Amino acid sequence: MRQLIRGRTLSFHADPAETEDAFAYHEDGAIVTEAGKIVAMGDYAALREPGLPEIDHRPNLILPGFIDPHIHFPQVQVIASWGAQLLDWLNTYTFPEESRFAQQGHAPLMAGKFLDLLLSHGTTTAVAFCSVHPQSAEALFAAAEARDMAMIAGKVMMDRNAPEAVLDTPQQGYDDSKQLIEKWHGRGRQHYAITPRFAITSTPEQMAMAGQLVREHPDCHIQTHLSENRDEIAFTLQLYPQARDYLDIYESYGLLSDKLLLGHSIHLEPREIARMAETGSRAVFCPTSNLFLGSGLFDEAGLRAAGVTSGIATDVGGGTSYSMLQTLAEGYKILQLRGQKLHPLAAFHWITRGNALALGMADRIGTLEPGSDADLVVLDSRATPAMALRMERAETLAEELFILQILGDDRAIAQTYVAGKPMLG
């Protein structure tokens, strides 16, 4: 169905942190969608047509749907678990919780709730870690397909340093991943991410199998973790004593490329940063998780200066909110502690086109450009009494965005569209 969605529209065609003329904003704007795609974006007066159905979201802002490039689907029921750093948190909360995904019916139930939570927070695409059980990835892909959401996901490969209930073997990890890739990768809007959890939970034999999958399926993403926590790094280098550094482990198995998403990437050595830049490997900043687990402060400006592309993500359940708005709020504070600035225009670029660029998918998601998938979020900057009171004094678009970034959460999401269809209420 062809339709017109009216409101104040904002879409980025460049990074405001690097370019002055980086976005298109229409005070009385419109987006025309048809068959799940954006066919036009511009001024309402130029796009209205006799008989064309209209949905009026004025005075709210319409942006591309948010993109979350690092989140753990099986951790939905351990978010907000008290008091531990990374390795203790995994052993105390995460691994026991992930073992539940072996139970019949649990993964489909959680998948529906997980995706509904993402949509209620304005997130239309995520890159998700599933559990070691292939049925967890099956359930997530099936639930995303039913909603026509673009999802990137993979079952974790892990064969050591965790309870038996959440381990596979090198061969089983390869076989399960291969079958999931053949069934789901490129099916509709679904994409597979080859997912060795991190070097601590994979033997060299399993890392070699992950590398084989990457060679056989070069169009798949790869997701893992890198240098989140000092103790993690020390343990990793004990397990791989021949490695020059943490990144060298992934490099030695052929994982480095512009398809590789490296969650956290906080405590990096100069050689690691240089190799990430040379290979196009992506860093993913997870601010609420980094603060919650006491992991460290991400160096956005340093990585940018070195030529490393960074995404920004929630990392639920170590992360403490499904909201990309709250993720930006905490990211702003971390960068303040680093002596770095996150301008609100750059922030909203980051969670839309910026994350799409990190995924190599900016031709399909992350903007309101014609030809893009019609994934949209409608933002109400007066959603709460505190926001409405502050908005009385806001004079610019940047001020309004910053109010959304600092005070906003799911209450500021007036509507979320996936492939042109409204998904909320």
Side-chain angles (χ1 to χ4, degrees):
M1 182 185 84
R2 189 177 176 91
Q3 64 182 352
L4 180 146
I5 302 169
R6 185 178 184 182
R8 294 185 298 131
T9 60
L10 175 63
S11 181
F12 297 92
H13 52 258
D15 186 345
E18 298 174 352
T19 306
E20 194 166 313
D21 179 23
F23 62 91
Y25 171 68
H26 298 273
E27 182 67 32
D28 187 5
I31 299 151
V32 178
T33 73
E34 187 172 18
K37 298 282 188 182
I38 295 171
V39 296
M41 184 263 296
D43 285 321
Y44 169 73
L47 295 178
R48 61 184 302 188
E49 302 171 21
L52 180 62
E54 295 186 5
I55 303 167
D56 193 348
H57 286 295
R58 291 177 300 169
N60 293 336
L61 276 167
I62 306 173
L63 280 82
F66 300 150
I67 300 164
D68 186 347
H70 185 105
I71 189 168
H72 292 265
F73 157 49
Q75 295 178 19
V76 290
Q77 290 188 297
V78 292
I79 187 174
S81 293
W82 183 82
Q85 289 200 328
L86 173 65
L87 299 180
D88 293 330
W89 198 86
L90 289 172
N91 287 308
T92 304
Y93 301 113
T94 300
F95 294 151
E97 183 65 23
E98 293 193 4
S99 71
R100 299 177 65 214
F101 282 74
Q103 299 170 12
Q104 183 70 28
H106 184 66
L109 177 65
M110 290 298 113
K113 292 181 181 297
F114 173 72
L115 294 182
D116 290 347
L117 278 166
L118 291 183
L119 292 168
S120 72
H121 287 81
T123 297
T124 52
T125 291
V127 185
F129 288 70
C130 300
S131 74
V132 75
H133 316 97
Q135 62 264 36
S136 70
E138 284 277 355
L140 185 58
F141 281 129
E145 184 176 66
R147 291 160 176 79
D148 207 11
M149 292 177 74
M151 185 62 49
I152 303 168
K155 75 141 236 158
V156 293
M157 305 167 69
M158 44 192 295
D159 67 339
R160 66 169 166 182
N161 291 321
E164 187 68 28
V166 292
L167 295 181
D168 55 14
T169 66
Q171 190 64 49
Q172 183 186 353
Y174 172 88
D175 291 343
D176 288 346
S177 300
K178 187 88 170 170
Q179 289 169 11
L180 288 162
I181 291 167
E182 289 169 356
K183 180 174 180 180
W184 287 106
H185 184 61
R187 173 169 152 174
R189 303 187 72 196
Q190 308 311 305
H191 305 272
Y192 198 82
I194 297 161
T195 309
R197 188 186 205 110
F198 64 157
I200 286 173
T201 51
S202 286
T203 60
E205 294 75 17
Q206 184 163 77
M207 293 302 302
M209 286 295 201
Q212 185 174 333
L213 284 167
V214 170
R215 288 191 298 276
E216 292 170 353
H217 304 281
D219 57 337
C220 284
H221 285 87
I222 311 123
Q223 60 179 347
T224 190
H225 298 82
L226 177 71
S227 300
E228 179 176 0
N229 168 289
R230 298 282 189 193
D231 291 342
E232 168 215 9
I233 296 168
F235 188 23
T236 301
L237 295 178
Q238 287 175 25
L239 294 170
Y240 287 89
Q242 79 287 0
R244 289 175 287 182
D245 46 48
Y246 197 157
L247 186 74
D248 192 40
I249 299 165
Y250 299 139
E251 183 169 3
S252 65
Y253 293 104
L255 304 191
L256 271 55
S257 78
D258 60 4
K259 290 286 191 180
L260 177 61
L261 302 167
L262 292 160
H264 305 291
S265 298
I266 301 172
H267 308 286
L268 299 176
E269 300 296 330
R271 193 203 77 86
E272 294 175 300
I273 296 169
R275 286 300 291 150
M276 287 173 68
E278 288 163 10
T279 59
S281 302
R282 309 322 200 188
V284 184
F285 179 23
C286 303
T288 73
S289 169
N290 297 161
L291 291 172
F292 180 70
L293 296 174
S295 300
L297 306 177
F298 185 83
D299 183 11
E300 192 277 336
L303 290 176
R304 180 188 291 269
V308 175
T309 297
S310 297
I312 185 168
T314 66
D315 192 30
V316 165
T320 55
S321 176
Y322 291 90
S323 172
M324 292 302 293
L325 300 175
Q326 285 297 292
T327 297
L328 289 178
E330 299 305 285
Y332 176 86
K333 296 168 193 174
I334 284 177
L335 297 183
Q336 284 281 77
L337 290 170
R338 274 278 192 182
Q340 301 172 18
K341 298 297 183 190
L342 179 56
H343 190 277
L345 284 164
F348 279 83
H349 172 268
W350 208 355
I351 61 173
T352 56
R353 180 178 176 268
N355 276 341
L357 285 171
L359 300 180
M361 295 175 68
D363 59 330
R364 284 171 275 173
I365 58 174
T367 76
L368 303 181
E369 292 297 317
S372 292
D373 294 331
D375 296 345
L376 316 171
V377 62
V378 183
L379 298 176
D380 178 3
S381 52
R382 298 169 178 83
T384 69
M387 293 172 73
L389 191 63
R390 174 64 183 88
M391 276 295 293
E392 290 180 10
R393 303 288 291 147
E395 296 179 356
T396 66
L397 175 63
E399 282 184 275
E400 181 178 2
L401 292 174
F402 197 59
I403 291 164
L404 283 161
Q405 175 180 340
I406 301 301
L407 299 179
D409 52 29
D410 56 320
R411 294 169 292 179
I413 310 301
Q415 185 56 271
T416 305
Y417 289 85
V418 169
K421 294 192 288 279
M423 305 301 288
L424 306 183

